[in-house]
Amino acid sequence: MSFQPRAVKRFVLTGATGYLGPWLAREIVGHFGPDSLTCLIPKTLPPIEGKSLAYLKRLGVDCIECNLMKYPVLEGRLPAVDVLIHMAANTRTNLPEQALKVNTIGTENIIETFRPSLAGKRVLLTSTSAAIDRGSFPRGPLTEDSAPHPRTGYGLTKLQAEAIVRQKSRACHFDYTILRLTTLYGPGMRGGLFYVLSDWAGRGHILARVNWPGRASFIFVEDAAKILLWFSLAEAARNQIYFVSSCETYTIGDLAGLILSKRMGRAARFFLPNWLWKATQKLIWLPGVKSVIPWRLSNIIDDSLLCDSSRMRAVYPGILTSLDEGLNRTFGPVALEDELARALA
């Protein structure tokens, strides 16, 4: 996707060493050059993110150490910025709110640090469908107008981060865009639904063969990177919130079966009857039951994280990767043809 010549060419990116970060960095550099991007990097990186940092350095972008839990987050002179993209977050859904303060305090600190430079500029926050979630049995996909009922500390802190960005946009006179990402998948996955299903398939686990009835939304990682860059510059995205997904709908059981076939060839499926699934879906929302059912388990039994991304598709002009193509690029013989996929493998 090409961009018209424009003055906005200076990006500051947090979370660049996460899974999505290198893909977004490549998109930015491909359109605007390495001098257009500054990546803010934690002083201490988990080992899994070392390859991401090495790739960023090969791209030639500026990487500066920062501490989101401290104000200001940077020491010394701030890099120039036209678009601040804040992706850094602790995404662990099994941690309590208190352990995820980087999602809220970090958001406030990064905005306050760049406050003198943000008037008239754009701040893009990556959020999550878990920030909205469900308070009762799902009867349709989530939309941007759905009332929020986050059931995890992660979802709650990301919802709070959204509120911080909106409030700061008024106080600091910048425009915002909030993108609620759904499940990412693609080469080099480090976690999430597709990673778990792939792990089950690789270990020959019976759970990979079950006809899980829940439906969840997802997006190929390269598509997500292109969407983030486009929305960070688009006039249509000014002060807007969007769900981001491929707009395809599959049950988790069907996803597991497709991954199983890509990785292991044809394999027998294990089908539980529909009446049992329907009873289970009702059961897990009963008072006293829903509080003890693991959040991730409930999401493969029902449609809790199924999202409607038609609002995004109404304005985004890009072509999205189909699930079959995305799985081929993730698990098939072409999985490592992409130089970035090879770098992160």
Side-chain angles (χ1 to χ4, degrees), residues 222-242:
E222 185 178 51
D223 290 349
K226 292 177 179 179
I227 288 167
L228 257 70
L229 177 56
W230 190 87
F231 275 95
S232 75
L233 300 170
E235 181 65 28
R238 191 181 299 275
N239 301 323
Q240 298 295 320
I241 300 175
Y242 298 92

Side-chain angles (χ1 to χ4, degrees), residues 147-221:
H149 297 281
R151 290 180 286 165
T152 64
Y154 169 56
L156 180 60
T157 54
K158 291 301 287 184
L159 182 65
Q160 292 168 348
E162 290 186 14
I164 289 169
V165 168
R166 293 197 304 270
Q167 186 274 323
K168 294 290 184 183
S169 74
R170 296 188 293 271
C172 304
H173 308 291
F174 62 79
D175 294 306
Y176 70 85
T177 301
I178 296 172
L179 297 182
R180 293 172 178 156
L181 300 179
T182 54
T183 295
L184 293 174
Y185 77 100
M189 293 179 294
R190 300 170 182 175
L193 174 64
F194 282 69
Y195 179 89
V196 171
L197 296 178
S198 174
D199 179 62
W200 286 351
R203 292 191 288 121
H205 204 297
I206 191 174
L207 294 177
R209 305 173 189 272
V210 173
N211 62 326
W212 302 102
R215 296 177 296 171
S217 298
F218 48 85
I219 185 75
F220 188 66
V221 63

